Amino acid sequence: MPIVAVIGDGQLARMMHTEAIELGLNPRVLAGSVDASAAQVFGDVRIGDYRDLADLEAIASGASAVTFDHEHVPNEHLQALIDAGVAVEPRPEALLYAQDKLAQRTRVSELGAPVPRFAGIASVADASRFYDDVGGAGGAGGGVCLKATRGGYDGHGVWFPATREEFEQLVEELLAEDVPLYAEEKVPFKRELSAMVARNRSGDVVAWPVVESRQDGGICRVAISPAPGLEPGLQDECRELAVRIARELDVTGVLAVELFQTADNKIVVNELAMRPHNTGHWTQDGCVTSQFEQHLRAVLDWPLGSAEPTAAYTVMVNTLGGESEPDMPMEQRVSEVMRRYPQAKIHLYGKSYRPGRKMGHVNVSGDSLEQTLEVAEDAAHFIVNAEWK
């Protein structure tokens, strides 16, 4: 059976491994250390640096496909692999739009998709001009958001200055540290949505139901499938937009299109991710084909599986490290949750405790949204705090 090489050693690679062994594949991972989340479970672990071409060549040797659990591998190295005959999925020309947020904004805007007003920021003068254009913090636009064009995630690399002076000072400081920047109009929204699709090299695309994503400090904490109360027309619009972006950008594998839903029920593209995504973890226990299995099928150019849900609702709640680590061992916390909520599915990442860190997640499916959400929240709370809500 084919070898699939995964570059990156986080929880996404770890969960790809589970599906890979079920499919009979030979999964291989390039990890930074032997105790990394994915390295703990893969049978074939290669220790190396994803920024080193020789390490990439070694992990790719004999592989039917090379894929990722993050977007930070240098594109020139990926092109070198492709030139040597390696099937790299997604390809660098698509991956660029997940690596560089300004390039992403520009390209998605060119497709006619709804995006906030934005501009590259290379000077304080650029910042001042953009602030005036969008109406500033007190204007009709609702303010400005400053972002690093590369490397930001889970709220890192994102700033919301309250005044022109704060905005200009931030820009001056960050540019002095060689942080590439762009700014966009802050979007007043009522909730965040995520439209996820998978596309294989042959061009087949399958879309999952659109989910609602609830954030905590810039980190997705809860995902609800399907998004409660989302009218069918808007659900279709979100899914069709995600399918179109996947096709236009020639994405292979899983694509997450994060969206804002505004008060007047319009949608605005927030960000793209070209890999399995936090808002798709519900698919492990609430869908015919999980995002991890689908990603593997896609990068191997296999037929894609059904994305139909297997329950009326599935709720995913992340278990984020609390302010302090409980005295109760994790094994006991898991056991207590299983005893109280046998319907809860617990997924842990093998990570050591750190406040705010994604330690794992809980999935719960059911017929009642209120009850399903309550159980998932309580189970996740106990795993984090060793106490019930």
Side-chain angles (χ1 to χ4, degrees):
M1 292 294 283
I3 295 171
V4 176
V6 183
I7 300 171
D9 58 15
Q11 64 263 25
L12 301 180
R14 182 185 179 105
M15 288 183 277
M16 273 190 245
H17 174 269
T18 302
E19 300 289 4
I21 59 175
E22 291 292 328
L23 291 170
L25 300 173
N26 293 313
R28 177 189 296 166
V29 68
L30 178 64
S33 66
V34 293
D35 60 352
S37 178
Q40 296 172 22
V41 297
F42 271 72
D44 188 351
V45 179
R46 312 291 176 88
I47 303 301
D49 188 335
Y50 65 84
R51 295 160 296 192
D52 187 292
L53 179 56
D55 288 343
L56 296 174
E57 290 171 336
I59 195 75
S61 178
S64 296
V66 172
T67 192
F68 318 92
D69 90 334
H70 62 73
E71 297 99 345
H72 308 307
V73 182
N75 268 350
E76 61 271 21
H77 291 351
L78 298 180
Q79 190 58 55
L81 295 181
I82 291 171
D83 292 342
V86 177
V88 175
E89 304 289 1
R91 296 180 181 177
E93 54 266 31
L95 201 59
L96 166 68
Y97 300 113
Q99 295 169 331
D100 187 314
K101 292 185 175 65
L102 179 56
Q104 177 190 122
R105 273 283 181 264
T106 303
R107 184 72 179 98
V108 171
S109 177
E110 290 170 352
L111 297 179
V115 298
R117 287 186 289 176
F118 68 95
I121 302 295
S123 67
V124 173
D126 288 343
S128 181
R129 190 159 42 246
F130 184 77
Y131 195 88
D132 290 336
D133 288 345
V134 302
V144 297
C145 174
L146 183 65
K147 293 186 177 182
T149 63
R150 286 178 174 265
Y153 69 98
D154 286 348
H156 299 287
V158 180
W159 301 268
F160 296 97
T163 64
R164 174 197 292 273
E165 291 72 23
E166 185 181 343
F167 182 40
E168 293 177 346
Q169 183 178 351
L170 262 173
V171 167
E172 185 174 14
E173 292 173 353
L174 291 166
L175 289 177
E177 297 171 5
D178 293 324
V179 178
L181 299 170
Y182 82 102
E184 61 187 34
E185 183 177 17
K186 188 177 177 183
V187 177
F189 61 90
K190 66 179 183 181
R191 64 174 171 176
E192 295 187 55
L193 303 172
S194 177
M196 294 188 62
V197 301
R199 178 177 179 270
N200 63 17
R201 179 48 53 195
S202 295
D204 302 321
V205 185
V206 171
W208 285 279
V210 177
V211 307
E212 177 180 333
S213 171
R214 298 180 180 177
Q215 310 289 310
D216 184 359
I219 301 174
C220 171
R221 195 181 66 80
V222 178
I224 303 171
S225 175
L230 185 64
E231 61 183 49
L234 197 55
Q235 167 98 220
D236 291 343
E237 183 182 346
C238 294
R239 286 158 62 108
E240 288 165 7
L241 176 61
V243 168
R244 182 158 66 90
I245 290 173
R247 286 178 170 150
E248 292 286 349
L249 300 189
D250 195 27
V251 176
T252 305
V254 168
L255 168 71
V257 180
E258 297 180 77
L259 302 160
F260 295 131
Q261 181 181 2
T262 63
D264 57 353
N265 287 326
K266 304 289 192 208
I267 57 169
V268 178
V269 176
N270 180 18
E271 290 192 353
L272 308 180
M274 296 177 192
R275 49 171 171 73
H277 191 257
N278 202 165
T279 57
H281 291 348
W282 71 274
T283 62
Q284 291 170 299
D285 301 297
C287 190
V288 174
T289 310
S290 79
Q291 64 167 341
F292 300 103
E293 177 182 344
Q294 202 79 293
H295 186 76
L296 293 167
R297 289 188 185 210
V299 301
L300 288 167
D301 201 24
W302 286 3
L304 300 177
S306 167
E308 287 300 306
T310 54
Y313 295 99
T314 299
V315 175
M316 185 282 308
V317 180
N318 276 324
T319 53
L320 305 174
E323 293 182 4
S324 61
E325 186 173 21
D327 292 332
M328 184 184 293
M330 179 62 79
E331 180 183 3
Q332 185 179 347
R333 284 178 261 164
V334 168
S335 179
E336 292 295 331
V337 169
M338 289 176 170
R339 183 172 293 108
R340 177 173 286 205
Y341 299 120
Q343 70 271 45
K345 306 295 286 185
I346 300 166
H347 301 264
L348 297 178
Y349 307 154
K351 292 186 173 183
S352 58
Y353 163 80
R354 190 172 70 217
R357 189 180 202 182
K358 291 179 183 175
M359 313 288 287
H361 65 273
V362 175
N363 288 334
V364 178
S365 297
D367 295 327
S368 162
L369 173 59
E370 182 179 353
Q371 184 178 29
T372 302
L373 181 59
E374 181 180 340
V375 170
E377 289 272 26
D378 199 25
H381 184 83
F382 191 88
I383 287 176
V384 171
N385 300 293
E387 62 183 26
W388 303 111
K389 292 193 73 172

